[in-house]
Amino acid sequence: MGAEELFLTHRGLLFTVAYEMLGSAADAEDVVQEAWLRWADIGDAGRAEVRDSRSYLVRVVTRQALNRLRTLARRKEEYVGAWLPEPLLTSPDVAKDVELAESVSIAMLTVLETLTPVERAVFVLREVFDVPYDEIAPALDKTPAAVRQIAHRAREHVAARRPRMQVDQEEQRAVLERFLTAIHSGDLKGLLDVLAPDVVMVADGGGLAAAVRHPIVGGNRVAGLLSRFPTLAPGARIATVWLNGALALRIDAAGDFDTAVSVVVESGRITRLYAMRNPHKMARLDKEVTLSR
């Protein structure tokens, strides 16, 4: 198998690792490209010495992604308003792998943002991709024992913040349909019925699109804002779409994919709303992305 063909067999995995570490499809693509250049540069002799190409390439991607994470951290300090991950257009098949779908969900990626770069790398590699501690260690220049401790700390941190309810696709679809109907008609009562009393809405405009700068908390406040949608965005179309392995919403204004909305459903009601409006993050939503573990 040639160098390029071998690399391509792992490309979906490498992109998924990079994306889960970075929350940015654009940066993940850059990291994968850098990994390809390194893979090509070592030549046939160097590749012949690689016993496990998958582990080797994951290690390369991890190191490159860690470097990017530090750059992104500085960029986010200057970001206007809340920062949310870049959404991905995925096929319904991704949802069949429940663990993969959860790991790439906007809700989970938002939780991963609260980890340190090293904790995030360890959590993604260990909890999502089941990489052994002794393989993670050299990628981070740490001992397996240290990696194990980091994994334990990251696991506890994530467990305390991740959504706790598993929702099947039919329940998700039913809740979204109720939500869509209420928004289209500006039905305040309908919105209050479908939103949890402690619902949180976060919007990301990046200073380039109108968006609330801080999270809005509470069913009354969120419903009051969303009930004005028909007036604020006359003629806009809302439809369901598969984003990050789950059913979500897309809002089209003036013929363009204007806003991506990811939701968390618990006990038949929406507890989290993530509205991504930064146009730079909408640029890749015209093509499905291949994700794999």
Side-chain angles (χ1 to χ4, degrees), residues 186-208:
D187 179 2
L188 180 60
K189 183 180 184 305
L191 286 167
L192 287 170
D193 288 341
V194 77
L195 297 173
D198 58 350
V199 64
V200 178
M201 185 174 80
V202 183
D204 175 356
L208 302 173

Side-chain angles (χ1 to χ4, degrees), residues 195-201 216-220 222 269-272:
L195 297 173
D198 58 350
V199 64
V200 178
M201 185 174 80
I216 299 177
V217 182
N220 288 328
V222 174
R269 304 179 89 176
I270 294 172
T271 59
R272 293 289 186 275

Side-chain angles (χ1 to χ4, degrees), residues 12-265:
L13 165 70
L14 300 178
F15 175 83
T16 308
V17 170
Y19 175 71
E20 291 196 28
M21 285 184 61
L22 299 168
S24 164
D27 287 294
E29 287 286 4
D30 287 345
V31 164
V32 172
Q33 182 61 24
E34 290 166 2
W36 159 247
L37 293 175
R38 288 174 179 268
W39 179 245
D41 284 347
I42 65 174
D44 291 337
R47 287 188 292 272
E49 295 179 2
V50 175
R51 288 180 296 178
D52 185 338
S53 58
R54 181 183 186 274
S55 296
Y56 175 88
L57 290 168
V58 167
R59 188 161 62 247
V60 171
V61 163
T62 299
R63 286 175 172 167
Q64 294 299 318
L66 272 174
N67 292 336
R68 290 254 170 177
L69 267 178
R70 296 179 180 109
T71 301
L72 283 174
R74 292 191 293 271
R75 196 188 306 170
K76 290 170 188 174
E77 289 175 0
E78 302 172 354
Y79 199 79
V80 178
W83 187 95
L84 289 173
E86 182 179 347
L88 300 177
L89 185 65
T90 56
S91 74
D93 290 341
V94 174
K96 296 177 182 178
D97 186 335
V98 176
E99 291 184 2
L100 176 62
E102 182 184 9
S103 71
V104 298
S105 69
I106 297 297
M108 176 58 80
L109 293 173
T110 302
V111 172
L112 294 184
E113 283 294 310
T114 63
L115 297 173
T116 68
V118 171
E119 287 174 341
R120 185 166 184 170
V122 170
F123 183 87
V124 168
L125 294 175
R126 180 61 189 167
E127 298 302 310
V128 180
F129 298 99
D130 200 29
V131 178
Y133 293 114
D134 58 355
E135 290 185 20
I136 299 173
L140 305 178
D141 295 323
K142 295 186 180 296
T143 66
V147 170
R148 191 182 295 273
Q149 290 181 337
I150 294 169
H152 177 72
R153 187 166 63 244
R155 195 181 301 118
E156 288 189 333
H157 182 97
V158 171
R161 292 163 176 79
R162 75 199 307 172
R164 290 171 170 77
M165 299 295 291
Q166 293 290 339
V167 180
D168 64 43
Q169 293 180 24
E170 290 309 311
E171 181 180 357
Q172 182 97 351
R173 187 183 297 277
V175 171
L176 281 177
E177 290 297 337
R178 289 167 53 205
F179 184 59
L180 269 174
T181 300
I183 285 185
H184 271 305
S185 60
D187 179 2
L188 180 60
K189 183 180 184 305
L191 286 167
L192 287 170
D193 288 341
V194 77
L195 297 173
D198 58 350
V199 64
V200 178
M201 185 174 80
V202 183
D204 175 356
L208 302 173
V212 293
R213 296 285 184 90
H214 304 286
I216 299 177
V217 182
N220 288 328
R221 295 185 65 199
V222 174
L225 175 63
L226 295 179
S227 67
R228 296 159 53 199
F229 179 80
T231 303
L232 296 175
R237 296 188 304 119
I238 313 176
T240 56
V241 64
W242 287 95
L243 296 178
N244 293 67
L247 273 174
L249 300 176
R250 63 176 289 165
I251 300 175
D252 293 88
D256 296 321
F257 198 152
D258 176 81
T259 307
V261 183
S262 174
V263 305
V264 174
V265 175

